[in-house]
Amino acid sequence: MAKTTVSRDISDISLLFDALGNFFQLGFLVYSNNDVFTLNKRHFSNLRDFTRTSRTGEVAQGITYLLAQEYLRFNSVVDFEGYINSRGGIIPAKSSTPDFIMQNHNLNFNVGLIESKGSYPEKSDPVKSSLKKALKQCHSGQNLLTNFDPRYTITNKYGVHIKFEDELSSQSSVGYLADPQSLPVRDERNLSIIRYHYASWFMLMGDQDNAFRLATNEPLKIDDAFFRNKNEYYYYGRRSNSVFPIFDIFWTGFQIAIPRAIIELLMGDILEAPSYDSIDTLQVIQYIDGVRLIKLQF
């Protein structure tokens, strides 16, 4: 959820505080004693109707983000409107757009679009019509993107509907996915999406300067002193360099680490994006984009 929030606008520092607020609000929303994902009925019932809809949509976006990376295997997943705006494009008022634009490790203009929908037990939207609306937003996003830059080819459009249940339900929360088409590919190098993807990681680790540089397609300024773990991972020195102590609160017990190979890719020193597997242990969480959350030892 933090990633989906800050990627809306890398230049807006206030979104970092929204991300922190969501961390606490959504933490209470999820019932954590089940092996399956469910909502906390007591907390959810205390929310007003419009807040329930908003929270459900936010959680559905977070799940869809993970689905796009872990299941669909897109390395880079970024906010659609945020990305277009960062490239100087303008989204017309009242436009219907998808949540995310996605790119795989081939780093070209072949991209996917995905839109998430969510429903909770007291408001169970029909799945078929919900997926139809999601795909319609992807189609609208395709028109906006290709009009903005004709080099883009939309290889896949995905509609997602997350049907949430609470811990007292006999049913499990379920995600539905629709992928109606696949189009020919275009082989032309494009680093703008992957740079925007990692910009939000740089924001969350406290390195605002390089986050802005990635989002605006400027060269990175990397201090070699921040490379550790046999010089293979980049850690930002938040305590001495960031004016925002919020990061030390947000990531208490963890430190964000970006592989040197990714730094070199973003700096233009290597041509191919390395591949990574997901890791989830008591010491390390690693995503398929290579970023690690490393458990600190106290």
Side-chain angles (χ1 to χ4, degrees):
M1 275 305 307
K3 289 275 281 131
T4 65
T5 298
V6 297
S7 72
R8 295 171 192 161
D9 185 352
I10 298 299
S11 65
D12 188 353
I13 298 296
S14 69
L15 290 178
L16 288 168
F17 295 90
D18 286 343
L20 180 62
N22 284 339
F23 177 78
F24 291 110
Q25 292 170 347
L26 298 176
F28 288 109
L29 191 63
V30 176
Y31 189 78
S32 58
N33 293 335
N34 283 350
D35 291 332
V36 295
F37 188 98
T38 58
L39 300 176
N40 186 325
K41 182 175 179 61
R42 181 177 179 181
H43 180 75
F44 197 71
S45 297
N46 287 333
L47 300 177
R48 297 191 182 277
D49 288 343
F50 69 89
T51 306
R52 292 180 189 179
T53 301
S54 175
R55 291 285 181 268
T56 302
E58 289 172 337
V59 178
Q61 278 192 345
I63 293 175
T64 298
Y65 181 95
L66 287 176
L67 182 147
Q69 281 203 319
E70 302 296 327
Y71 180 73
L72 300 177
R73 308 299 291 176
F74 285 93
N75 297 48
S76 300
V77 184
V78 301
D79 184 84
F80 180 87
E81 292 191 14
Y83 173 71
I84 296 295
N85 291 334
S86 76
R87 305 299 295 169
I90 298 176
I91 305 293
K94 298 182 179 180
S95 294
S96 177
T97 61
D99 287 326
F100 304 117
I101 179 172
M102 310 174 295
Q103 183 187 47
N104 61 28
H105 67 277
N106 292 325
L107 304 181
N108 50 33
F109 284 89
N110 305 308
V111 299
L113 302 177
I114 192 166
E115 166 65 18
S116 65
K117 302 292 184 183
S119 63
Y120 50 90
E122 292 82 6
K123 188 182 178 182
S124 184
D125 298 330
V127 173
K128 187 175 181 179
S129 62
S130 179
L131 291 174
K132 185 176 180 180
K133 291 177 183 177
L135 291 173
K136 185 176 180 180
Q137 287 179 239
C138 289
H139 183 70
S140 175
Q142 177 179 6
N143 292 334
L144 287 169
L145 183 62
T146 53
N147 286 337
F148 165 67
D149 190 335
R151 291 177 296 175
Y152 281 99
T153 296
I154 312 301
T155 57
N156 296 95
K157 291 180 287 190
Y158 300 95
V160 176
H161 179 96
I162 309 296
K163 186 176 181 294
F164 293 104
E165 300 290 346
D166 59 52
E167 80 276 16
L168 300 183
S169 172
S170 60
Q171 305 293 322
S172 299
S173 299
V174 179
Y176 299 87
L177 174 70
D179 170 22
Q181 67 179 56
S182 179
L183 298 177
V185 298
R186 180 189 297 269
D187 188 17
E188 187 176 350
R189 189 168 171 77
N190 173 27
L191 289 178
S192 60
I193 294 178
I194 193 171
R195 286 175 64 90
Y196 196 84
H197 172 85
Y198 286 99
S200 55
W201 275 123
F202 275 79
M203 283 290 285
L204 290 175
M205 73 194 313
D207 191 351
Q208 290 89 30
D209 179 61
N210 278 317
F212 298 155
R213 290 176 175 278
L214 287 170
T216 56
N217 205 31
E218 296 180 19
L220 287 176
K221 288 187 176 180
I222 297 296
D223 189 336
D224 286 340
F226 292 144
F227 282 100
R228 280 180 275 163
N229 278 25
K230 298 182 180 179
N231 217 27
E232 289 300 316
Y233 285 89
Y234 178 79
Y235 299 77
Y236 189 66
R238 299 192 305 268
R239 296 182 188 277
S240 59
N241 292 275
S242 176
V243 296
F244 294 96
I246 189 174
F247 300 103
D248 293 315
I249 299 172
F250 191 84
W251 296 113
T252 297
F254 285 92
Q255 200 163 25
I256 300 175
I258 300 178
R260 175 180 280 276
I262 294 297
I263 299 294
E264 293 174 349
L265 174 68
L266 297 175
M267 296 179 72
D269 295 336
I270 61 176
L271 298 179
E272 293 187 7
S275 297
Y276 298 93
D277 294 323
S278 298
I279 298 174
D280 192 350
T281 69
L282 293 176
Q283 290 77 36
V284 175
I285 298 172
Q286 178 173 287
Y287 302 95
I288 69 165
D289 58 10
V291 176
R292 288 188 167 195
L293 299 184
I294 298 177
K295 182 74 172 180
L296 298 177
Q297 302 297 322
F298 296 101

